[in-house]
Amino acid sequence: MTLHIADAEQVLTEKSDQLNTRWYPYYHLAARAGWMNDPNGLVWFDGWFHAFYQHHPYSTEWGPMHWGHARSRDLMRWEHLPVALAPEGPEDKDGCFSGSAVVNGNELALIYTGHKFHGDPSSEDNLYQVQCIATSRDGVNFTRKGQILDTPSGLHHFRDPKVWKEGEMWYMVVGARVEDTGQVRLYRSEDLHHWHEQGILAEAPHGMGYMWECPDFFTLDDKQVLMFSPQGMAAEGYANRNLFQSGYIVGRWQPGEKFIQESKFQELDHGHDFYAPQSFLAPDGRRIVIGWMDMWESPLPEQQDGWAGMFTLPRELVITPNNQLQMRPVHEVESLREEWYSWPVSTLKNKQLCVMHNCEAAEVIVTWDTSLSEAEQYGIALDDGMRLYIDNQAKRLILERNYPQHNLCGQRSIPMPTGDELNLRVFFDRSSVEVFVNDGEACLSSRIYPQQRQLNVFAWSGNAVLKECGAWNLR
């Protein structure tokens, strides 16, 4: 363990004992203390799922980035491990930025961005971002091997490498910014240490962002998916409402050929808080994705409690014949279920009923008969701060949060799905809610900060019919 990592570990040990845990998650991954953002290095290695993350252990504000580290046998119960990387070399002296992990023989390799300034850090003209590697045989202690790819001439923003193997070759995509245009650049290597440029995999058309962060490129049912987080897209109606987006383009690609796009950019999650998703392959072949369940420049009330930021639930990705990605909670979440409680309600008319007195960590199932429900608004509400409801006039499913004391108020929504039923699978975990619509047809993820945890069902200005409703407490 290096001196910088030992210092970080000492601080984390002290600060973790001082947390206020009122909003700290039960079954989502969050840092022991301090700041967390992007998922990094999601990988299966030596019998464990590993998750690394952007981390500032010294405060609850973003700062010089370290790589936090945790592992799990089941993606639900996480064991915190020592900080894996700290900014301590000339190539990453100002931060170990995002990256990925691959298994290379009996080694686990972390490929990440070294963030550094040559001169005054207030000027981006002095910013350089290079790609670096560190390796481990035990999956816990890492040996830094230094820089493996320099900043291309004329670039300053060049980060977030995602590496995978195709046949006998390693490939890597890196996000870049050329003036005010986002790009994803492609590289190839035989040994993870010497990389050769393969051109631009994809580039932002007008209006699609000045920087494409956190690119990920993978195959799903014989289609290739480019997943990334564009910065600089303008809001348009109900779309692109968050400061930055995360989404995907579907197409076809083979080594040595161009990426032929077959779909337009589509947002992956429609809630207030979802960014920088990264995917990996589970041993059984599932493509699993985890995102950061927060948003840049959005208030994080838990900072006053000694921590900041959390991950989403791990989600299995599937692709439909019309090139739509769907996300569903991994089946491992079912291992957290306690006894099922069915709610004694089938019809509501101009009223609200309490169905849970303490909805803290729970999986809620609600199926509405939309063909028989004509109320103007009907849904569920967690105290006075969060509502998930159907607006029959707007024909939208709306996730609303109202925490003016934390400067967090607003709505995110999707068009009402077609059909006579609307199935909602909703996960609560102290300060988060994740809504899965019709088995992954859409997803909305948001942070919430309830003072009271009474969960109600309601219908106003008419009646609403429930076909199924109830919950499991999760532990």
Side-chain angles (χ1 to χ4, degrees):
M1 184 179 292
T2 68
L3 180 61
H4 289 78
I5 291 177
D7 287 346
E9 284 299 305
Q10 182 177 348
V11 168
L12 287 168
T13 299
E14 295 169 356
K15 290 182 177 293
S16 62
D17 291 335
Q18 302 166 9
L19 291 190
N20 181 338
T21 59
R22 58 181 169 163
W23 291 321
Y24 193 87
Y26 278 108
Y27 59 94
H28 289 71
L29 181 58
R32 287 171 283 173
W35 171 274
M36 164 199 267
N37 59 281
D38 303 0
N40 296 156
L42 306 180
V43 70
W44 170 264
F45 175 70
D46 198 23
W48 294 87
F49 293 103
H50 289 258
F52 302 83
Y53 51 91
Q54 290 288 275
H55 186 31
H56 188 227
Y58 296 99
S59 81
T60 58
E61 303 285 342
W62 187 90
M65 284 292 97
H66 298 56
W67 272 39
H69 186 195
R71 68 182 180 184
S72 173
R73 296 287 193 188
D74 63 2
L75 291 168
M76 295 294 130
R77 301 162 181 90
W78 292 94
E79 172 193 355
H80 288 285
L81 296 174
V83 168
L85 297 172
E88 53 190 337
E91 67 278 0
D92 59 17
K93 66 183 181 69
D94 295 310
C96 300
F97 274 24
S98 288
S100 53
V102 294
V103 178
N104 184 23
N106 60 357
E107 283 191 338
L108 180 61
L110 309 182
I111 299 94
Y112 67 99
T113 296
H115 181 73
K116 58 181 180 175
F117 288 92
H118 294 174
D120 181 4
S122 66
S123 172
E124 289 197 351
D125 291 340
N126 297 320
L127 171 63
Y128 293 90
Q129 294 182 324
V130 299
Q131 313 319 312
C132 308
I133 192 168
T135 61
S136 171
R137 290 185 180 273
D138 64 6
V140 178
N141 302 287
F142 290 85
T143 302
R144 301 156 57 90
K145 300 296 180 69
Q147 177 180 311
I148 55 173
L149 183 62
D150 203 356
T151 314
S153 176
L155 294 190
H156 294 283
H157 293 272
F158 178 64
R159 57 182 176 268
D160 311 335
K162 181 69 191 295
V163 177
W164 76 98
K165 198 168 192 180
E166 198 91 23
E168 297 301 313
M169 287 288 183
W170 295 100
Y171 288 85
M172 175 170 65
V173 286
V174 185
R177 176 179 180 177
V178 178
E179 297 181 348
D180 285 329
T181 300
Q183 288 182 344
V184 173
R185 297 194 171 200
L186 180 66
Y187 296 84
R188 187 178 70 180
S189 173
E190 296 179 356
D191 60 6
L192 291 177
H193 292 268
H194 303 88
W195 291 89
H196 307 284
E197 188 173 0
Q198 301 296 294
I200 297 170
L201 185 73
E203 186 172 69
H206 178 73
M208 267 291 294
Y210 57 78
M211 174 68 196
W212 284 8
E213 285 199 316
C214 304
D216 195 346
F217 195 57
F218 53 88
T219 297
L220 204 56
D221 287 354
D222 298 323
K223 292 290 185 76
Q224 282 68 49
V225 179
L226 175 62
M227 187 169 66
F228 59 101
S229 296
Q231 297 182 332
M233 292 183 67
E236 185 176 349
Y238 291 105
N240 308 329
R241 299 308 309 180
N242 294 335
L243 178 63
F244 300 135
Q245 281 61 57
S246 293
Y248 63 94
I249 296 169
V250 177
R252 294 192 178 277
W253 173 86
Q254 290 185 355
E257 298 183 5
K258 290 185 176 182
F259 176 47
I260 306 301
Q261 299 181 19
E262 296 181 350
S263 76
K264 295 181 179 180
F265 176 80
Q266 301 173 79
E267 289 186 86
L268 197 54
D269 188 288
H270 301 276
H272 296 86
D273 296 295
F274 185 84
Y275 193 69
Q278 186 175 102
S279 78
F280 70 101
L281 273 179
D284 58 8
R286 288 176 296 166
R287 174 66 58 173
I288 296 174
V289 64
I290 299 176
W292 179 43
M293 196 162 26
D294 287 291
M295 181 50 58
W296 294 111
E297 299 185 21
S298 181
L300 294 170
E302 71 267 24
Q303 287 175 310
Q304 62 190 290
D305 294 344
W307 65 285
M310 61 187 287
F311 282 177
T312 65
L313 274 176
R315 305 163 179 188
E316 182 179 357
L317 279 179
V318 296
I319 190 168
T320 68
N322 61 346
N323 289 338
Q324 303 283 320
L325 288 191
Q326 296 185 349
M327 297 189 293
R328 300 162 186 163
V330 294
H331 63 75
E332 286 86 349
V333 73
E334 297 172 12
S335 70
L336 303 176
R337 290 172 175 171
E338 296 187 327
E339 186 178 355
W340 166 259
Y341 293 95
S342 183
W343 301 341
V345 56
S346 59
T347 303
L348 294 162
K349 184 174 182 179
N350 299 328
K351 64 181 177 181
Q352 175 172 285
L353 292 176
C354 174
V355 289
M356 294 181 74
H357 291 287
N358 184 33
C359 181
E360 189 171 36
E363 177 185 351
V364 169
I365 303 294
V366 178
T367 301
W368 297 99
D369 188 330
T370 54
S371 67
L372 299 177
S373 300
E374 77 271 4
E376 289 185 4
Q377 293 186 357
Y378 58 96
I380 62 175
L382 186 64
D383 196 40
D384 294 329
M386 187 229 83
R387 294 199 306 160
L388 174 67
Y389 66 95
I390 292 90
D391 186 320
N392 244 339
Q393 297 176 92
K395 300 299 181 186
R396 299 189 73 83
L397 173 66
I398 298 173
L399 177 59
E400 177 181 271
R401 61 182 181 185
N402 182 41
Y403 304 103
Q405 68 273 34
H406 301 306
N407 300 316
L408 285 169
C409 298
Q411 300 177 341
R412 295 292 180 267
S413 67
I414 61 169
M416 271 293 290
T418 58
D420 293 337
E421 291 184 6
L422 178 65
N423 177 262
L424 303 176
R425 192 178 178 193
V426 187
F427 290 85
F428 293 95
D429 193 1
R430 278 188 168 167
S431 62
S432 67
V433 60
E434 292 166 275
V435 183
F436 296 88
V437 181
N438 289 345
D439 196 29
E441 189 175 323
C443 184
L444 301 94
S445 305
S446 295
R447 297 296 303 278
I448 56 175
Y449 297 91
Q451 298 300 315
Q452 305 293 326
R453 298 187 180 275
Q454 179 173 301
L455 188 69
N456 303 307
V457 292
F458 66 89
W460 302 121
S461 300
N463 75 288
V465 177
L466 282 157
K467 300 190 72 170
E468 180 184 14
C469 56
W472 290 275
N473 284 318
L474 302 181
R475 288 291 185 271

